[in-house]
Amino acid sequence: MTTTFFSEAEMASCALDISPDLTSETLQKNTKSVNLLLKAPIYFATSYDKNLTIEMFVSFARKIIPYKKIAFCMWDEPTNSMNLVFQRGFTDPQVNLLKTHAPFSTWVHTFEKPLLIREIDVQRQDIFQTLGFAEALIIPVSWEGKIRGGWQLFAPKPNTFSLNDIQLFWILTMQCELIFQNLTKREQIQKLAIVDSLTGLYNRRFFDSQLKKEIDRSQRNNAPLSLLMIDIDDFKHFNDQYSHQAGDYVLREIGSILPGNARTVDTICRYGGEEFSIILPSTDPVGAFLILSLIHISEPTRPY
């Protein structure tokens, strides 16, 4: 959920009219930072994991700009919103505020340029006080002509971020945009390899791999492990009577219902055809029966 804590007029006054092009004066005054910028693409290209790359970027960025707390959000197509994917320096209640209300990330998409937001420039100063800072810097991340994410940097004192700092950090994000784009595409390809395209659940390939891991963990920890197998009665007859399109609808419905009745540690898969499976770590037969009893699938509204 996104809550509008600040007005668009307030944020417009915070949008910076700066260019990512470095002047000769900036080059001379910031030789060390400029050298770091030139090395950045090579440094980050060594990682093939998005989370690790974000961690590396955060450490690298501290050498260029003096932030105290930092967060990174990315655009999520299914929910049509900016989602928090990384943070450092915040308490759990502060993280919850950033996740559930997104007070700053929405403006990345609105203005598509850096914003320097100071506590004294807005009416809702309580947000700054709750999050524990006096100044926020918001930097957009884009590729293929669209805003895909945003960095949020925070400082406890006003006037921490200079225009030179902001310009150099913005250039750093631009240097790394292609790397993040490629990592995101690689992540999507990997996800397609283990996710059933019809139901959105894990597929048989992932099931086989995950079950082996859970069996090994169960034996190592001497802990119980249970497995539920679920299938749809008379599914072939249903397809023959109502069409395969109607059958696909039923499979999608079950694919959306099962996760709502399972725990976060459970692994839910489409085993094949009309069969589904749920791997239940640290669960004995009695516990598995109780979980199974919670799964109630009523007849959906028919689209056929």
Side-chain angles (χ1 to χ4, degrees):
M1 178 181 67
T2 300
T3 303
T4 305
F5 289 105
F6 313 112
S7 70
E8 188 164 345
E10 284 179 326
M11 293 298 98
S13 68
C14 296
L16 299 175
D17 189 18
I18 61 173
S19 166
D21 299 323
L22 291 171
T23 64
S24 57
E25 182 181 0
T26 302
L27 288 170
Q28 291 172 2
K29 287 184 177 180
N30 301 274
T31 306
K32 183 179 178 180
S33 294
V34 172
N35 286 334
L36 285 171
L37 290 177
L38 294 174
K39 296 176 183 177
I42 299 172
Y43 179 67
F44 296 123
T46 60
S47 171
Y48 292 95
D49 179 82
K50 187 171 71 175
N51 293 329
L52 177 59
T53 302
I54 292 174
E55 291 271 6
M56 293 167 62
F57 183 96
V58 166
S59 298
F60 198 90
R62 192 178 285 281
K63 300 175 182 178
I64 294 175
I65 190 166
Y67 68 84
K68 182 69 174 178
K69 302 178 181 181
I70 190 167
F72 183 53
C73 58
M74 292 193 73
W75 184 254
D76 182 61
E77 293 289 350
T79 60
N80 201 34
S81 63
M82 284 284 187
N83 290 344
L84 185 70
V85 297
F86 177 88
Q87 63 79 27
R88 178 171 291 172
F90 295 95
T91 63
D92 289 344
Q94 291 170 341
V95 171
N96 186 58
L97 175 61
L98 290 173
K99 280 184 175 180
T100 58
H101 295 291
F104 298 97
S105 58
T106 182
W107 300 108
V108 175
H109 217 273
T110 302
F111 291 97
E112 302 185 4
K113 62 172 64 175
L115 288 89
L116 182 59
I117 310 169
R118 297 187 176 95
E119 183 179 359
I120 59 173
D121 296 330
V122 297
Q123 291 186 355
R124 289 296 304 273
Q125 296 181 0
D126 58 303
I127 302 303
F128 285 74
Q129 294 158 10
T130 300
L131 294 173
F133 59 87
E135 188 170 79
L137 173 63
I138 315 300
I139 300 286
V141 175
S142 63
W143 59 77
E144 296 179 343
K146 294 182 179 179
I147 299 296
R148 306 288 182 171
W151 288 99
Q152 304 172 54
L153 285 70
F154 306 94
K157 297 180 181 179
N159 304 315
T160 298
F161 303 127
S162 69
L163 288 179
N164 263 353
D165 291 336
I166 296 168
Q167 186 183 42
L168 290 168
F169 182 76
W170 192 16
I171 294 170
L172 175 63
T173 64
M174 291 180 174
Q175 289 275 81
C176 301
E177 282 172 358
L178 182 60
I179 294 169
F180 277 106
Q181 176 185 356
N182 290 337
L183 286 171
T184 301
K185 287 183 176 179
R186 184 181 289 114
E187 188 179 66
Q188 291 170 344
I189 292 171
Q190 291 172 341
K191 183 178 180 181
L192 288 173
I194 62 172
V195 172
D196 174 58
S197 59
L198 180 63
T199 63
L201 301 176
Y202 290 118
N203 59 21
R204 172 66 182 273
R205 177 181 177 181
F206 184 81
F207 169 85
D208 292 339
S209 171
Q210 189 66 13
L211 182 60
K212 184 180 184 305
K213 290 179 183 177
E214 293 296 350
I215 290 173
D216 291 342
R217 184 183 291 114
S218 174
Q219 292 173 340
R220 257 193 337 266
N221 300 331
N222 193 27
L225 174 68
S226 295
L227 175 66
L228 296 179
M229 298 298 294
I230 304 166
D231 71 350
I232 304 173
D233 292 339
D234 301 317
F235 190 66
K236 183 181 183 304
H237 175 71
F238 180 90
N239 275 336
D240 292 342
Q241 183 172 355
Y242 295 108
S243 81
H244 286 279
Q245 184 178 0
D248 287 349
Y249 173 81
V250 171
L251 292 172
R252 283 194 296 269
E253 282 290 299
I254 293 177
S256 67
I257 291 169
L258 289 179
N261 293 281
R263 306 166 302 179
T264 54
V265 296
D266 301 334
T267 302
I268 308 169
C269 307
R270 182 184 178 192
Y271 190 78
E274 73 276 23
E275 297 175 313
F276 298 84
S277 61
I278 306 179
I279 303 173
L280 305 169
S282 302
T283 307
D284 60 19
V286 175
F289 181 81
L290 290 174
I291 292 172
L292 181 61
S293 68
L294 295 175
I295 298 176
H296 176 70
I297 302 175
S298 58
E299 184 174 351
T301 302
R302 299 186 179 186
Y304 40 85

